[in-house]
Amino acid sequence: MRLPAERAVERLLDVRHAALLRVVGAVSTVAATVIAIALTAEGRPARAGLWAGLLAAVLAAAIARRRPRYLDGVRYILLGLLVLWILLLGVSFPQPGILYAFAGWVFPALLLLLRLTPGQTVALAALFAALGAWDALRMPSEDAGPGIAMAVASLGWTAAAAALSHRATRTRRRELLAEWYSHASAEQERSRMRSELDDARTVQLAMLPRGVPEHPALDLAAMSLPATEVGGDYYDFLSLPAGRLAVVVADVSGHGMASGLVLSGVRSGLHLLREELDRPVDVLGRLARMLAETIPERMFVTLQIAVFDPSAGTVTVANAGHPPAILVAAGGEVTTLGAPAPPLGTRLEASFQAVDHPFEAGDTALLYSDGAIEVRNHRGEPLGEPRLLAEARRAAARPGARELRDALLAALAAFKGDVEQEDDLTLVVVRRGPAR
């Protein structure tokens, strides 16, 4: 949960105070140890015990660092150590100059490193000034003049240090607030974009079939794996009269929200032209004209339509820039289907062709997107069409379309290892006849 702006700034400043406290704690540990040993050697164990108390305070501060709410009180621990230092100097050393040097000059300099609230700065500066002035004024009478001068100088230095500390703190607070609001605005924008991408992904997934249709003569399986939240691949099954089935696989250049929007238009066009899918060339031509008028020039869509006719024992394939489908015959021969043609939306004159191929019992057709052949291994090598053909031939020995699909996906995963998927990947498997 994001902290409020002012609270977040205080937390960042307290992180700085925690770092300063570690330095003060280290210096205090060394100094208190040396002074306690020296006082013990001089036969003043009571005063040595006071400095041992400073060591105990430093130890307590170190233990407090493990507490969950340590940062909430870190500045008060730091201020407490500084006040304890001044009190110990005043009690342990009768010479006024020692306390004056620290309370009037050294400790006020620490104000330049602290980032306190105005009230805390004034209170601490007043304590330093009072102790420094008092110690200067209690110098011997013969040093009254210089003592007063030093007291005035100490007050001036303390006031200057407090003013500089307040100004630096105010500037730093403004900088941190600006950074906080900038990060908060960026996070809000990222959250909005994530929400829109999630919505777009939900819509895109809704465009894909919820499952494969039941067909008396065809065994079907499919899978689409987007590389990002919103992919550019699409597949569908469209039933036609006389037991025929049209299988469509499409791929929009790139992926993301723009690709998802274009795919939505392609899907709508295919469903509107559903009655004409037995003439796939006409459908491709109409879709090409529609996309040429609606999508940006640098975008295009590859599309493949395969019409399976079990009664005639054929599959008719029309292609628009899509990778050719693979046919694995029952005897193990592997061929590619369809004729090449430019993608849709390129504004090029295209001559689409519908090519008939035999599709007999035991034959298997594999339709896929280019993400299948562009999968790369850890050496940066793409799978390529020859390897995919070989994998398809091996997987065709599986008893059903779903098992064949899973075998291909496993082979692709083994090839790429832990390399991140760069492009959307779609596989559609059609086998003639019931699963063996």
Side-chain angles (χ1 to χ4, degrees):
M1 182 177 179
R2 179 177 288 274
L3 293 173
E6 293 293 340
R7 186 71 186 91
V9 169
E10 291 298 324
R11 178 55 58 90
L12 290 173
L13 293 177
D14 283 337
V15 170
R16 174 193 177 99
H17 292 144
L20 183 59
L21 178 58
R22 287 194 292 270
V23 176
V24 172
V27 173
S28 299
T29 300
V30 175
T33 302
V34 172
I35 294 174
I37 293 174
L39 291 173
T40 302
E42 293 175 3
R44 293 185 286 180
R47 294 182 180 181
L50 294 176
W51 286 94
L54 178 59
L55 286 174
V58 173
L59 178 61
I63 295 174
R65 287 173 55 186
R66 302 178 182 177
R67 302 283 180 170
R69 300 182 64 83
Y70 167 70
L71 284 179
D72 294 336
V74 66
R75 69 178 62 186
Y76 301 106
I77 298 174
L78 180 59
L79 296 179
L81 285 179
L82 296 179
V83 172
L84 186 58
W85 257 100
I86 294 176
L87 295 177
L88 288 174
L89 289 173
V91 171
S92 302
F93 301 99
Q95 299 87 350
I98 295 178
L99 176 61
Y100 167 75
F102 280 90
W105 294 93
V106 176
F107 283 118
L110 290 174
L111 284 173
L112 301 177
L113 301 177
L114 298 175
R115 296 292 175 261
L116 306 175
T117 63
Q120 293 168 342
T121 302
V122 171
L124 193 59
L127 175 63
F128 293 157
L131 289 173
W134 171 75
D135 205 55
L137 293 176
R138 70 187 179 97
M139 291 181 179
S141 57
E142 61 271 14
D143 297 330
I148 294 174
M150 286 190 294
V152 172
S154 173
L155 290 173
W157 163 240
T158 302
L164 290 173
S165 174
H166 173 67
R167 181 174 181 179
T169 300
R170 185 176 58 184
T171 301
R172 185 56 179 155
R173 285 178 181 273
R174 282 201 300 263
E175 292 173 351
L176 290 175
L177 278 174
E179 292 177 11
W180 188 93
Y181 284 119
S182 175
H183 286 299
S185 177
E187 178 61 28
Q188 185 177 11
E189 179 64 16
R190 285 193 295 269
S191 178
R192 183 188 66 80
M193 292 181 65
R194 281 196 299 268
S195 177
E196 291 185 359
L197 285 174
D198 289 341
D199 292 341
R201 179 178 175 81
T202 301
V203 172
Q204 189 211 7
L205 292 177
M207 291 192 297
L208 298 176
R210 295 183 180 273
V212 296
E214 294 289 337
H215 195 282
L218 299 174
D219 186 19
L220 306 168
M223 177 66 72
S224 185
L225 302 174
T228 58
E229 289 85 352
V230 183
D233 282 7
Y234 167 71
Y235 73 91
D236 211 344
F237 303 98
L238 301 169
S239 299
L240 301 177
R244 293 173 298 167
L245 179 70
V247 178
V248 178
V249 178
D251 183 8
V252 180
S253 58
H255 40 79
M257 189 173 295
S259 299
L261 293 173
V262 173
L263 278 182
S264 177
V266 171
R267 179 183 183 275
S268 299
L270 285 168
H271 279 261
L272 288 173
L273 300 173
R274 182 171 187 160
E275 301 300 326
E276 302 178 26
L277 281 174
D278 54 355
R279 303 188 304 278
V281 169
D282 294 342
V283 173
L284 290 179
R286 296 181 67 174
L287 288 176
R289 290 190 292 273
M290 179 195 74
L291 291 173
E293 296 173 357
T294 56
I295 65 175
E297 291 186 5
R298 294 186 179 183
M299 290 190 71
F300 59 86
V301 180
T302 67
L303 180 65
Q304 188 172 70
I305 302 174
V307 180
F308 294 88
D309 188 349
S311 61
T314 62
V315 55
T316 302
V317 179
N319 201 347
H322 204 78
I326 297 173
L327 175 64
V328 183
E333 299 84 4
V334 181
T335 57
T336 56
L337 306 178
L344 307 178
T346 58
R347 297 167 179 81
L348 299 175
E349 291 294 331
S351 178
F352 302 112
Q353 301 179 49
V355 183
D356 295 329
H357 299 271
F359 194 66
E360 301 173 350
D363 290 353
T364 301
L366 173 65
L367 291 78
Y368 59 94
S369 65
D370 58 3
I373 56 177
E374 292 177 358
V375 167
R376 296 182 181 274
N377 59 18
H378 67 279
R379 293 189 296 271
E381 301 170 345
L383 180 75
E385 185 177 301
R387 284 196 185 100
L388 183 62
L389 292 172
E391 294 294 344
R393 181 174 182 176
R394 279 192 289 270
R398 302 285 176 154
R402 179 177 296 182
E403 292 81 2
L404 191 155
R405 176 204 63 190
D406 293 344
L408 281 175
L409 290 174
L412 295 179
F415 176 79
K416 78 180 186 69
D418 58 357
V419 178
E420 186 176 354
Q421 179 181 333
E422 297 180 356
D423 198 5
D424 309 323
L425 190 157
T426 298
L427 295 175
V428 178
V429 179
V430 181
R431 170 166 283 174
R432 171 75 188 277
R436 292 194 298 268

